[in-house]
Amino acid sequence: GWMYRLIVESLLGLQLKVDGEGARLVLSPCLPVDWPGYTLEYRHGRTLYQIEVIQVRPAADAIELRLDGAIQSGRSVPLVDDGRPHRVEMRC
């Protein structure tokens, strides 16, 4: 269990945050320089989130995060359990 958390939370940079406004998925990847990025599927209740993190060369100063094509501010996306698939794309 601890190895899974180490990889998912530290290397891939995924953390679930729940507060008064609901659930959010925070993305703060810490990838090796020679990795082009990664893709994964994350399930929140009945809803599947297809996540793609793309490491841009040279490293970008700004991070671009999109949820279903819409630019998000910061490093997190809101999670909803609507049963529909959602796409998350981060360029960092």
Side-chain angles (χ1 to χ4, degrees), residues 3-65:
M3 184 63 85
Y4 174 81
R5 285 194 66 183
L6 175 71
I7 292 170
V8 171
E9 293 180 4
S10 297
L11 182 63
L12 301 181
L14 298 178
Q15 287 189 335
L16 175 64
K17 298 288 184 183
V18 180
D19 58 23
E21 296 179 18
R24 300 188 72 74
L25 187 62
V26 179
L27 287 89
S28 298
C30 185
L31 302 177
V33 175
D34 58 341
W35 281 25
Y38 67 86
T39 60
L40 65 84
E41 293 182 343
Y42 180 86
R43 183 165 300 279
H44 177 71
R46 300 171 295 126
T47 303
L48 184 65
Y49 286 83
Q50 298 169 328
I51 301 170
E52 181 174 16
V53 173
I54 302 164
Q55 199 161 217
V56 182
R57 301 275 186 260
D61 290 335
I63 291 174
E64 181 179 278
L65 180 62

